Amino acid sequence: MKTLIIAEKPDMGRNIAAAIDPKAKNHRSYLEGEHYIITWAIGHLIGLAEPDAYDDKYKKWNINDLPIIPTQFKLVPNKKTIDQLKVIGDLAKRSNLLVNSCDAGREGQYIFSLIQRHLKLNQPVKRLWISDLTPETIRKGFDELKEGAEYENLTRAATARSEADWLIGMNGSRAFTTKHNVLLSVGRVQTPVLALIYDRQKQIEAFSSLKFFELEGHFAQSEMSYKGMWQGERATDQAKVEAIAAKVKGKEGRVASYEVKETKEYPFKLYDLTLLQREANGKYAFSAKKTLDTAQALYEKHKVISYPRTNSNYVTEQNIPEMHKTLNALQGTAYDDLVKGANRSLVHKGNKFICNPTKVEDHHAILPTNRKANGLSPDEQKLYDLIVRRFLSQFYPPAEYKVHTVLTEVENEHFKTTVKELLHLGWKVIYADQKKEKAKPSAKGKDKDDADEEEIEVSEPFSIVADEGIVCSDAIVKEKDTQPPKHYTEGTLLKAMESAGKQIEDEDVRDAMKDSGLGTPATRAATIERLKNVGYVEMQGKKILVTQKGRTAIELIRGAGIDLLTSPEMTGLWERRLNEISRGTASDGQFMENVKKFATMIVDKVRVQSRAAKTSFESEAPSAGRGASGKSAAATKTRAVKPKATGAARKSTSAAAASPGTITLITNCPSPGCGGSIFMGRKGYGCSHYKEGCKFVIWKESYGRSLTDSQVKSLVEKGKTTKLKLQLADGTPAEGRIVIRNLETGELSIEQ
């Protein structure tokens, strides 16, 4: 009898065979040597059965048959990969020991446990738990195989996660679909993530910009000149600010206070998956899924990085020697100069910024391995470069600065100046060839997007004499507008998912929230993709926008009184409980009882909800085929559909496409003789009489503005907006009112 090794994917199985049994004979779907048989799953070979596996009546979707709560969940093989499942079953009959070599994480554990349960495999189980696929690590992992029983709690958590998603998805999707006669998808994680995006977009649409004025003073003392911002309250009265400017311009003043302190900026933390996805999105516009897939290829195919599906930014003591080996392996590569400048003594077991075993659970931070990176695609090279540079930065000292804070007084008016004088570049030399490095998160986790404009960074020496006078050489009034919250990008959405929607700047608190985020590092990308696929969100450049479908889904759920289903924090707490189950500190049975009660409550609430009118599921959105010229294009429409017992319809959570819902009417259509109403579609404001031929459309994105409901109402009823800061077609800034040029088509122009 031989030992049967079950890997998660073919590449991983072949890597294992090459490391521990290189003479194993290749039988296409498995490899066999003297002591080992190595085979693999192909992702999920088995899943939870559809409702009709429990009772034929569930082939038809009927709200009176809900909730569906199985006493014991049934398993069903994936028809596309059933041959490989049979191979595993046959090989197991020739084996007296199993080695679970699936990915070292919750999903990998679940894939193996499903195979084991379905095939009723009773052999003893060992667990291979490794973080990279280099031959050395694989061999070491087999020398230190764990007992399978040590991971039983992780199996319980994985099973609870899957069954909880089934209960919420199946019951929620069927309840809303049958009640409103439109295929609607809801889910334990996807719905609160959609709610985050919906709520942010509503904030943006409700935002009313306020014009204000800043005063920038220019000062000179001997050969030194500097700028400072006026410290009065935010001013909306331009005349008042200009009067202050006239008062101080050309006048002598004094240095009211001058403080100098030295500060250090340490390297950014090593990557976990979410941070890598966020930065790849910000720098290269990679989607979360693209980053995950690319990182998986670097790990599995090229073996040049460690396991990417990690939620830790730290390493353990055992990783420190490996980090030094990797540094040596980077000699002679494109990073040779940076390796030569590295200080190896900075990376050691006592450096808690790098080595903190208490913050490493399943896997350490993402690291490059000591394998040479050859044959990478352009995208793989970009991601690998991010990981290598972050790794190398740990071997460099902090950047050092002198921060000068000056308070200048002229004519009893105060101006503040903050100058950050570079003393030593330190680790930032790693990024010296990358001009946009400032866009990265700071060491404290704050976004540079909101950097204080008053702070000026200089590389030349700066100093003034505190007891010498100054002259205000100029005073410039700057017009500004308050800005609405920013649309989510995939990068900022990942950050919100990680902290269950809480905008947490404190690094320690944010780390603590990682156990109660929305989904896991391994599943967040799939959740975002699902929202796109079911038509709830769409991309506009990097921005994530809620479609009319997405709006309706949230409004119907909240309208039914099931706000809990849209609560990021509540779902985050469920994720925390799953983590506690995996550690053995919480009961999976109690968790599932609570989920069953929640699924029942969803059905009860929807059952008494009023059915939305059929017209409320029709969405007319101006298509992208019409621009500022006012040329007409066909409207798009989403119809109400009657649920059928098709295979596609039964795949409730992931395959169900939602439909737009209740339409908010803005005002009456101004098109002569129309009589319709204006409402907001996906990309603009259209007329409800589109079927009768009305071609009136106002694009939401017009002249550099994202128009709000109130601005469109003003446009339609008064013919123009208030004075706004705009952008011409060639990108030139302008100021003026948007006016309707053509009442029949909604064509716009600017009145300056």
Side-chain angles (χ1 to χ4, degrees):
M1 301 291 276
K2 297 181 179 180
T3 297
L4 177 62
I5 299 168
I6 303 175
E8 187 163 324
K9 294 177 183 176
D11 276 353
M12 187 181 297
R14 295 186 184 103
N15 287 331
I16 291 171
I20 66 167
D21 200 348
K23 294 182 180 180
K25 185 178 179 181
N26 190 345
H27 294 272
R28 195 176 64 82
S29 54
Y30 66 96
L31 296 101
E32 185 167 0
E34 187 177 349
H35 302 291
Y36 297 110
I37 304 172
I38 303 105
T39 190
W40 42 80
I42 307 171
H44 282 271
L45 299 181
I46 298 160
L48 298 180
E50 295 288 330
D52 56 27
Y54 300 91
D55 194 316
D56 281 345
K57 69 180 181 181
Y58 295 135
K59 287 180 178 179
K60 291 185 178 180
W61 290 25
N62 188 331
I63 198 167
N64 295 320
D65 292 333
L66 303 178
I68 306 169
I69 300 179
T71 305
Q72 185 171 354
F73 283 85
K74 296 182 179 181
L75 304 180
V76 60
N78 183 333
K79 292 180 181 178
K80 294 180 181 179
T81 55
I82 196 166
D83 289 345
Q84 184 63 20
L85 184 63
K86 289 177 179 176
V87 167
I88 295 174
D90 290 339
L91 295 174
K93 294 173 184 176
R94 300 197 282 122
S95 307
N96 59 356
L97 176 66
L98 305 179
V99 178
N100 176 4
S101 298
C102 293
D103 277 358
R106 193 166 76 186
E107 281 308 297
Q109 191 69 19
Y110 189 50
I111 286 171
F112 178 85
S113 72
L114 289 176
I115 294 170
Q116 189 182 26
R117 282 168 56 193
H118 182 74
L119 295 177
K120 297 181 173 59
L121 306 182
N122 298 315
Q123 296 93 328
V125 176
K126 297 284 187 179
R127 185 53 157 117
L128 176 69
W129 193 271
I130 55 177
S131 286
D132 67 63
L133 290 174
T134 58
E136 300 87 349
T137 300
I138 292 170
R139 285 192 284 268
K140 184 180 179 184
F142 270 89
D143 288 339
E144 301 170 353
L145 285 174
K146 312 289 186 182
E147 290 295 330
E150 292 181 30
Y151 297 88
E152 191 55 39
N153 288 325
L154 186 61
T155 302
R156 289 192 181 99
T159 303
R161 193 280 307 162
S162 180
E163 293 177 357
D165 285 347
W166 192 99
L167 287 169
I168 301 303
M170 287 292 177
N171 287 291
S173 297
R174 286 189 174 216
F176 278 102
T177 295
T178 53
K179 169 58 72 172
H180 299 290
N181 205 31
V182 174
L183 203 57
L184 289 168
S185 171
V186 300
R188 184 182 65 88
V189 177
Q190 77 173 55
T191 300
V193 174
L194 177 60
L196 281 178
I197 303 167
Y198 171 90
D199 290 339
R200 172 66 61 85
Q201 194 155 319
K202 292 291 282 186
Q203 289 174 354
I204 294 169
E205 290 166 358
F207 182 82
S208 181
S209 181
L210 177 68
K211 188 175 291 186
F212 66 98
F213 302 89
E214 290 182 345
L215 178 58
E216 181 183 83
H218 293 223
F219 308 103
Q221 183 188 76
S222 300
E223 299 298 317
M224 181 61 64
S225 61
Y226 61 96
K227 301 174 185 178
M229 300 304 295
W230 179 60
Q231 294 302 289
E233 293 182 0
R234 174 176 282 179
T236 56
D237 187 338
Q238 184 175 3
K240 177 183 176 182
V241 180
E242 287 179 343
I244 295 171
K247 179 173 72 168
V248 300
K249 187 175 181 179
K251 301 294 178 62
E252 293 185 357
R254 70 185 187 92
V255 178
S257 67
Y258 179 33
E259 294 180 359
V260 182
K261 66 177 182 179
E262 293 194 357
T263 185
K264 295 180 179 181
E265 286 187 14
Y266 288 86
F268 300 136
K269 291 190 298 185
L270 291 164
Y271 285 123
D272 61 9
L273 176 59
T274 302
L275 186 56
L276 180 63
Q277 288 171 317
R278 284 169 49 193
E279 295 204 2
N281 178 254
K283 189 164 186 176
Y284 300 120
F286 285 6
S287 69
K289 182 179 186 300
K290 181 174 182 176
T291 298
L292 176 56
D293 291 346
T294 305
Q296 190 68 20
L298 290 172
Y299 163 68
E300 195 172 301
K301 179 182 175 182
H302 299 288
K303 297 178 278 297
V304 293
I305 67 167
S306 62
Y307 185 72
R309 289 173 161 92
T310 176
N311 68 346
S312 179
N313 304 101
Y314 300 89
V315 302
T316 66
E317 294 177 354
Q318 290 74 30
N319 300 125
I320 297 298
E322 297 299 322
M323 290 179 72
H324 284 269
K325 287 180 185 177
T326 297
L327 182 68
N328 292 335
L330 288 170
Q331 290 177 336
T333 69
Y335 304 98
D336 189 60
D337 287 343
L338 297 176
V339 173
K340 288 176 180 175
N343 182 348
R344 288 164 171 76
S345 67
L346 293 174
V347 176
H348 56 85
K349 296 176 182 178
N351 184 343
K352 294 300 180 186
F353 189 82
I354 301 170
C355 182
N356 192 338
T358 63
K359 293 189 176 183
V360 180
E361 292 184 6
D362 296 338
H363 295 284
H364 56 72
I366 301 172
L367 299 171
T369 66
N370 56 20
R371 195 181 184 100
K372 289 283 193 292
N374 296 314
L376 303 186
S377 71
D379 287 342
E380 288 169 346
Q381 183 59 51
K382 287 176 181 176
L383 207 64
Y384 180 68
D385 183 69
L386 283 179
I387 295 165
V388 171
R389 287 179 189 261
R390 182 61 60 94
F391 166 80
L392 288 171
S393 69
Q394 312 304 312
F395 291 88
Y396 278 75
E400 297 178 11
Y401 295 89
K402 265 187 186 177
V403 179
H404 304 258
T405 306
V406 185
L407 194 63
T408 305
E409 182 183 343
V410 182
E411 296 292 312
N412 295 319
E413 303 292 344
H414 291 87
F415 298 80
K416 185 178 180 181
T417 303
T418 303
V419 175
K420 193 175 176 184
E421 178 190 349
L422 177 66
L423 300 178
H424 180 64
L425 198 56
W427 63 271
K428 292 191 176 183
V429 71
I430 299 286
Y431 302 97
D433 60 336
Q434 299 182 352
K435 294 179 181 179
K436 294 186 178 180
E437 182 59 24
K438 287 185 180 180
K440 286 180 174 288
S442 72
K444 292 183 180 179
K446 295 181 180 177
D447 287 335
K448 285 289 186 181
D449 291 343
D450 302 316
D452 190 344
E453 290 183 355
E454 295 179 28
E455 186 178 274
I456 303 166
E457 189 168 323
V458 298
S459 54
E460 64 275 2
F462 176 89
S463 68
I464 60 173
V465 181
D467 55 3
E468 284 188 13
I470 59 92
V471 174
C472 180
S473 58
D474 202 356
I476 300 173
V477 176
K478 293 185 173 182
E479 184 181 308
K480 297 287 183 76
D481 287 297
T482 55
Q483 297 299 310
K486 294 181 180 179
H487 283 281
Y488 278 118
T489 64
E490 289 204 27
T492 56
L493 182 60
L494 285 166
K495 179 181 179 182
M497 291 172 73
E498 186 177 53
S499 57
K502 291 186 176 180
Q503 298 306 306
I504 298 170
E505 295 299 342
D506 185 279
E507 184 178 311
D508 292 332
V509 176
R510 195 170 64 252
D511 282 346
M513 285 296 293
K514 280 189 177 183
D515 281 350
S516 56
L518 292 171
T520 67
T523 61
R524 286 172 190 143
T527 298
I528 295 173
E529 290 302 308
R530 187 176 302 122
L531 291 174
K532 296 177 190 175
N533 293 337
V534 300
Y536 284 164
V537 302
E538 64 181 1
M539 303 303 297
Q540 186 183 86
K542 285 187 181 180
K543 295 178 186 176
I544 303 176
L545 303 181
V546 176
T547 64
Q548 189 64 31
K549 288 184 179 182
R551 288 174 183 270
T552 299
I554 295 300
E555 288 164 3
L556 284 176
I557 291 166
R558 287 176 172 167
I562 317 172
D563 295 58
L564 208 57
L565 186 57
T566 67
S567 167
E569 288 185 41
M570 180 63 195
T571 307
L573 292 174
W574 289 359
E575 200 67 51
R576 177 189 287 179
R577 188 55 49 85
L578 289 169
N579 277 290
E580 290 171 351
I581 293 168
S582 70
R583 299 186 198 114
T585 58
S587 163
D588 56 324
Q590 185 59 55
F591 172 78
M592 289 305 298
E593 283 304 312
N594 291 336
V595 173
K596 289 172 184 177
K597 289 177 183 176
F598 186 58
T600 301
M601 185 266 280
I602 291 172
V603 173
D604 291 342
K605 293 276 190 181
V606 177
R607 186 175 279 121
V608 297
Q609 186 179 31
S610 298
R611 172 173 287 186
K614 184 178 180 180
T615 53
S616 69
F617 293 102
E618 296 178 353
S619 172
E620 291 76 47
S623 77
R626 176 186 152 185
S629 65
K631 293 180 181 178
S632 179
T636 60
K637 178 179 178 180
T638 301
R639 298 189 185 92
V641 296
K642 187 173 183 179
K644 297 179 181 179
T646 63
R650 290 196 297 266
K651 304 217 178 262
S652 62
T653 55
S654 61
S659 181
T662 305
I663 295 170
T664 302
L665 300 180
I666 306 298
T667 186
N668 294 328
C669 179
S671 182
C674 173
S677 298
I678 301 301
F679 66 93
M680 188 175 73
R682 182 177 296 182
K683 296 180 180 177
Y685 295 81
C687 178
S688 60
H689 282 189
Y690 77 98
K691 291 180 181 177
E692 288 76 18
C694 182
K695 298 177 180 179
F696 186 90
V697 174
I698 292 177
W699 293 99
K700 178 178 279 292
E701 300 294 331
S702 295
Y703 297 110
R705 304 283 305 196
S706 182
L707 297 178
T708 64
D709 291 356
S710 59
Q711 287 169 338
V712 171
K713 191 173 192 293
S714 177
L715 253 176
V716 173
E717 294 178 356
K718 301 177 182 177
K720 62 179 67 176
T721 65
T722 56
K723 208 169 186 181
L724 302 168
K725 292 181 80 70
L726 305 169
Q727 194 177 75
L728 301 180
D730 61 0
T732 306
E735 184 171 316
R737 293 177 171 84
I738 300 177
V739 299
I740 296 182
R741 178 187 291 179
N742 188 324
L743 288 176
E744 290 187 1
T745 64
E747 182 182 355
L748 305 177
S749 63
I750 296 178
E751 180 185 274
Q752 291 180 284

